[in-house]
Amino acid sequence: MGDRQIPRNMKVDTIELDGDTLSASKRVEVASKQFETPVKALQVGKLRASEKVSPLARGIVEIYGKASAAALTNSRSGWTGLAKKLERQEKNAHNDEFVVPFIEYDDSSNLEAENAAEIAKLQTNYGDILTVPLMSELVDAAEDGDGRTTPHVTAIIENTKQFLKAVDKLGVDKPVMGVIPPISHDCTQALVDVYLDHGLRAYCVDFNRRSPMAQSQIDHVINPLMQSLSSYNTREESLLYGVNANDSRPVTGKRRTSDAVYAYTLGFDIVGDNHIAPKLPEEVFEELAKKAAKGEVELKLFDIDTVSIVEVPVSELGSFLPDDAEIPVDRIQDRIKQDPDEQYRFTKLINAELISLYLESEGGIDPQKIFVDLRTGAYTQNSDLERVRELSTEVLSGS
C-alpha cells in the first residue's frame, strides 16, 4: 500500500465485538464530535420546522443532493442551486450532530477534476466528512459481475481516483469516506485497494436499492470488503456505513424482514437512508393512489417488539407508536390525507425514530442482542440467519 495519506481527522475505537456475527459497538470521534454505534442515520432534510422526533433518533444526519456535470460546472460559475439545497438540509441539523453529505453524480460522463473539486468544496462547507460521489448512472449501466476492466466499472474507479486527488489537492482537513457500489467482487477489491492506499478508515456501501441480505451483495461487496479490512487489521478501527439499501422483504401476511437491522449483524456501524425512488410499474403507483384517496394508506414501519416491518394503517398510527416516539401523529395523518405522497417522507422519518429507539433501548443495545432478537423472532428467515453465520465465519477465519 502507498504512503500518501488524505487527512482523516477521525478516530474509531471498538468497544465490543460480537463473537457470532460481525456486529460491533464503536466509539467514533471527529474533531469535537463523538458518537457510538450501532446507529441509524436520520435524513434530516425530510424534517419540517413543525416536526420533531425523539432525541434518541438524533446524532447522525444525512444530507443529499444530485448533480450532473453541467450542474457542477454551473455551480463553479456562480449558480447556487445545489449549494442552497445542501444548506437548507444542513440547517435542520443540531450543532453537535455529525453531518454526512452525499452527492450523487447523476451523469455517465467522466468526472472532471474541476467538478470533483466542486463536490469536495460543497461537502466541506456543509458536512463533517467527505464522501466519494454516488454514481447511480454508471452503476445502473454496469452488469452484475462486471470486472474492473469493463467500461462502466473503469469509469467508476477513475472518477473515484479523480475525487480523491481533488481532496488531496485542496488539503481538506476532514475525514473521507469511500463508496463501494454493488457490482462485483473485482470492483469492490479494486476500490478497497484505492481507499486503503489513501489511508481511508470510513467505507460506505451504496446498495443502489438492493438488499444487504442478498447473497450477491454478500459475495460481491460485503465479504471482500470485510476480508480486506481484516487482513490489514483495520476492521476494528474503521467505520462502515450503508446507504440506499432495500429496507425489507416479504415474510408472511403483512410482515416483512427488517433489512436495516440485519445490516448491523453484517458489520455495518451506521445504516443510512434510501435516496433512490423505487422502480415499480405504473399500475402499482396507480393502485397506491386509489387506496390513498379512500383513506386506506398503510405505512411499512419497524416494529420494535418483533424486530420486523409491518404494514400499519395511518388511522392506527397513534396506537402503534411507542410512548417515547415524538413524531406528531396528528400532523402525519393530516398531511397524508392532503397529499398521499407524504407517506414516503413520513415512513423514512418514523422508521429512523423507531430503529433508533430500538438501538438505544436500555441505554444502548449490546451488539450480540441484535442477532439474538433476529434469531428468536417470528418473522425471520433461516436462510438469512445462515448467511450471517457463514459470512462471520469466513471473515473471522480469513477464508
Side-chain angles (χ1 to χ4, degrees), residues 141-251:
E143 298 287 341
D144 284 355
D146 277 354
R148 67 186 75 190
T149 59
T150 55
H152 296 106
V153 174
T154 297
I156 290 170
I157 295 170
E158 291 306 310
N159 286 351
T160 297
K161 291 179 179 178
Q162 186 76 274
F163 178 77
L164 295 175
K165 187 184 297 183
V167 174
D168 208 19
K169 188 175 181 179
L170 290 169
V172 179
D173 189 24
K174 289 186 176 182
V176 179
M177 182 160 65
V179 170
I180 302 169
I183 297 175
S184 68
H185 187 293
D186 191 40
C187 174
T188 297
Q189 194 61 61
L191 288 169
V192 170
D193 289 344
V194 170
Y195 297 146
L196 287 172
D197 191 42
H198 282 77
L200 270 60
R201 289 295 180 269
Y203 307 88
C204 174
V205 174
D206 174 13
F207 286 100
N208 203 45
R209 287 209 71 90
R210 293 150 170 92
S211 168
M213 292 309 300
Q215 189 66 56
S216 60
Q217 301 315 301
I218 293 175
D219 293 342
H220 287 171
V221 185
I222 302 172
N223 197 331
L225 170 60
M226 292 297 190
Q227 293 274 13
S228 293
L229 297 183
S230 293
S231 65
Y232 285 98
N233 295 315
T234 58
R235 186 167 72 90
E236 292 185 25
E237 57 188 56
S238 297
L239 179 70
L240 271 70
Y241 202 112
V243 72
N244 289 331
N246 187 43
D247 58 1
S248 63
R249 291 156 292 135
V251 179

Side-chain angles (χ1 to χ4, degrees), residues 380-396:
T380 56
Q381 299 182 12
N382 289 334
S383 58
D384 289 339
L385 301 175
E386 286 305 312
R387 284 172 184 168
V388 172
R389 293 190 184 97
E390 289 173 4
L391 174 67
S392 179
T393 299
E394 289 181 16
V395 171
L396 296 178

Side-chain angles (χ1 to χ4, degrees), residues 4 27 48 55 130 151 156 160 225 238 261 268 290 303 337 342:
R4 183 163 58 88
R27 182 178 294 110
R48 304 294 178 256
L130 280 70
I156 290 170
T160 297
L225 170 60
S238 297
V261 174
F268 288 87
K290 289 178 182 177
D303 182 0
K337 185 177 181 180
E342 283 278 77

Side-chain angles (χ1 to χ4, degrees), residues 101-113:
F102 288 103
I103 294 182
E104 180 184 336
Y105 181 57
D106 187 27
D107 209 310
S108 59
S109 65
N110 291 338
L111 180 62
E112 298 178 355

